[in-house]
Amino acid sequence: MHFDDILNCVGIIAKYLLPTLKVFFFTLLFSIPLGMIVALIKKCPFKPVSWLINLYILIMRGTPLMLQIITIYYAIPMLQKAGHLTGIDIRSDSYQFTALIVAFALNYAAYFAEIFRGGIEAIPKGQHEASAALGFTKMQTFFRIILPQVIKRIVPPIGNEIITLVKDTSLVRVIAVYEIMWNGERFIKQGIIWPLFFTGVYYLLFSGILTVLLGKLEKKLDYFKV
């Protein structure tokens, strides 16, 4: 193993880092707000709605993410073949990426929804009553009184899910999206295993940076006692 070989390996693996980062950031962009919406809808007093939300959460949390990716990716082609859907180019890279983000966002939104729900329900009901007595509307109470306290409580569990997402991005290779794990595995077919260690370093660095940032966020929220 020569130094030039190491540099070449690192460069090749780094080339496929962008798809990994895109899946990570777009998943968070859509799943966090969707999780909040799902958590609020789950509290709907109309039982059929809350039952549907519970079923969605059960399915997303109870089945493997890999299965969900495969199902969503192949569902559209099957619908098109059956004549129920038209106008979508299933051979394009944009379709492949969109299917991935839909699968990841739906999966992680279910986990985030339960975290948000737990955070909201942990706030004493007396705070809602006190806000109403002070003339706050329900919207003002939620965004000015409840949400800041919820954020303080949910940063650690949300952080755990975000770190898990870093590693789950490796699942995109099941529908032939070329990312760093796929590229690391490619070297094994050439009889070389050490590039996989460099792949692991990328995940460790990414997770480490996020751990530091999340730790700083927790400290920044220490001023807000709950």
Side-chain angles (χ1 to χ4, degrees):
M1 181 172 64
H2 301 290
F3 184 69
D4 289 342
D5 295 330
I6 294 175
L7 287 178
N8 182 51
C9 168
V10 172
I12 292 173
I13 293 175
K15 177 183 175 183
Y16 293 94
L17 183 60
L18 183 58
T20 298
L21 294 176
K22 285 172 66 177
V23 171
F24 175 80
F25 287 113
F26 277 99
T27 298
L28 289 183
L29 179 66
F30 293 110
S31 63
I32 290 179
L34 179 58
M36 174 62 78
I37 292 169
V38 171
L40 294 174
I41 295 175
K42 186 174 180 178
K43 295 175 69 67
C44 175
F46 187 56
K47 291 299 182 183
V49 172
S50 62
W51 290 339
L52 284 174
I53 292 298
N54 285 330
L55 180 61
Y56 154 71
I57 292 174
L58 176 64
I59 292 172
M60 290 296 108
R61 296 171 68 194
T63 58
L65 176 55
M66 183 184 294
L67 176 62
Q68 295 164 22
I69 293 170
I70 294 170
T71 300
I72 291 173
Y73 180 72
Y74 288 105
I76 301 299
M78 288 179 178
L79 288 172
Q80 284 191 337
K81 189 175 181 180
H84 299 307
L85 193 64
T86 58
I88 298 176
D89 184 6
I90 59 175
R91 294 175 182 160
S92 67
D93 291 338
S94 61
Y95 167 73
Q96 190 180 48
F97 183 74
T98 301
L100 269 177
I101 298 305
V102 169
F104 270 84
L106 288 176
N107 179 274
Y108 272 83
Y111 288 93
F112 289 145
E114 285 298 276
I115 293 172
F116 281 125
R117 180 190 61 78
I120 292 170
E121 291 182 353
I123 306 300
K125 291 183 179 180
Q127 297 199 25
H128 293 272
E129 296 167 357
S131 299
L134 291 171
F136 284 88
T137 65
K138 287 186 177 181
M139 193 69 72
Q140 289 173 326
T141 298
F142 180 76
F143 284 103
R144 294 185 183 183
I145 308 297
I146 305 302
L147 189 58
Q149 297 180 71
V150 170
I151 292 173
K152 164 73 177 178
R153 294 173 185 272
I154 68 173
V155 166
I158 286 284
N160 288 337
E161 292 301 325
I162 291 174
I163 298 300
T164 300
L165 174 59
V166 172
K167 294 171 285 186
D168 278 350
T169 55
S170 62
L171 294 174
V172 303
R173 69 185 187 278
V174 301
I175 56 171
V177 174
Y178 303 141
E179 42 74 62
I180 57 175
M181 180 61 78
W182 172 87
N183 206 50
E185 288 180 345
R186 191 180 66 171
F187 285 96
I188 295 179
K189 297 177 182 178
Q190 302 172 19
I192 308 172
I193 193 170
W194 56 262
L196 281 179
F197 293 102
F198 288 99
T199 302
V201 168
Y202 279 110
Y203 285 108
L204 281 173
L205 285 175
F206 197 5
S207 298
I209 291 170
L210 288 172
T211 300
V212 171
L213 292 175
L214 289 164
K216 288 182 178 296
L217 179 59
E218 282 190 60
K219 287 182 179 179
K220 205 163 188 176
L221 293 171
D222 278 346
Y223 74 92
F224 192 84
K225 303 299 181 181
V226 294

